[in-house]
Amino acid sequence: HCPTFHFLKDLRPPSPRYPAEHPPPRRSNRTLPPLPLPTTMAEPTTYHIENASSSRAKCKKCKEVIAKGELRIATNSFKDGQDIKFTSYNKIKCFNVPPRAMKGVSPEDFVTDHLEDQTDDSILDDETKRAEIVAAIAYKPPRAGKGGQEKEDATPVGKRLAKIRSAMEELPDDDDDDDDE
């Protein structure tokens, strides 16, 4: 425990700038002028398809590692007013066309108009591979029903519960009522 020396405050000589009888002025309630708007405008978000150069990146949606050489879609986003570029990667099957930024754009139009081809073999020039990419972007697994049964069975706990339920259904029914005793 450190002793406090509050009494020393009274023993200090007055500051030459503010003598003891005149305390320092209080801050006024003036508002500061508004900050200037940034001079550089943020670049729009861009998308390109490429072969993964290494296996360090993970898919933004499923969090799985994207293997080296596997096709991925890179999203380059820019922060407003700063020169910061963010890049995120998605596997082809996990990519969703951004609904807010591209409202009403079909997956085929997205691939044609917005997706830049940076692959080694210009994969978007081949019509069959282009159709496969469009189909992979367009396909989304069905959502779970109102009861959530499909969604529950997807988790490890849900799978275990489903096994227990099916095992309970296979048990023979007891006709003896032992509750009366």
Side-chain angles (χ1 to χ4, degrees):
H1 181 63
C2 296
T4 57
F5 298 100
H6 295 289
F7 64 91
L8 288 178
K9 184 170 104 178
D10 298 331
L11 298 177
R12 278 188 293 194
S15 165
R17 186 166 178 190
Y18 300 111
E21 60 271 4
H22 298 290
R26 299 191 89 171
R27 291 187 183 199
S28 67
N29 291 336
R30 285 186 307 157
T31 58
L32 296 175
L35 293 174
L37 294 173
T39 56
T40 60
M41 295 300 293
E43 296 180 34
T45 301
T46 60
Y47 305 91
H48 65 269
I49 189 169
E50 64 183 10
N51 298 95
S53 58
S54 68
S55 58
R56 292 188 308 252
K58 290 185 178 182
C59 176
K60 185 177 180 183
K61 186 171 183 182
C62 70
K63 309 293 188 233
E64 293 178 5
V65 172
I66 301 173
K68 182 177 181 176
E70 185 178 354
L71 286 175
R72 65 185 181 187
I73 294 180
T75 304
N76 297 317
S77 303
F78 300 90
K79 191 167 184 178
D80 289 337
Q82 298 180 8
D83 293 331
I84 298 175
K85 178 175 111 174
F86 298 96
T87 302
S88 60
Y89 299 102
N90 288 86
K91 291 182 174 183
I92 303 294
K93 65 178 182 175
C94 297
F95 182 78
N96 291 323
V97 176
R100 289 184 184 165
M102 300 185 184
K103 189 173 186 174
V105 176
S106 69
E108 189 170 320
D109 292 339
F110 173 78
V111 170
T112 303
D113 300 334
H114 301 283
L115 192 63
E116 182 184 338
D117 190 355
Q118 293 184 359
T119 56
D120 299 332
D121 52 352
S122 299
I123 194 167
L124 293 181
D125 293 339
D126 183 7
E127 289 301 319
T128 56
K129 290 182 180 181
R130 179 189 200 89
E132 289 173 6
I133 291 169
V134 169
I137 291 174
Y139 173 76
K140 299 300 167 223
R143 292 186 175 198
K146 284 188 179 179
Q149 185 67 24
E150 294 88 358
K151 202 171 200 178
E152 178 183 309
D153 290 345
T155 64
V157 174
K159 290 177 184 176
R160 182 76 176 141
L161 284 172
K163 284 182 184 178
I164 292 171
R165 286 184 190 124
S166 65
M168 286 178 64
E169 290 173 2
E170 293 174 5
L171 289 174
D173 289 333
D174 265 345
D175 291 335
D176 298 335
D177 285 334
D178 295 335
D179 294 338
D180 295 336
E181 295 176 27

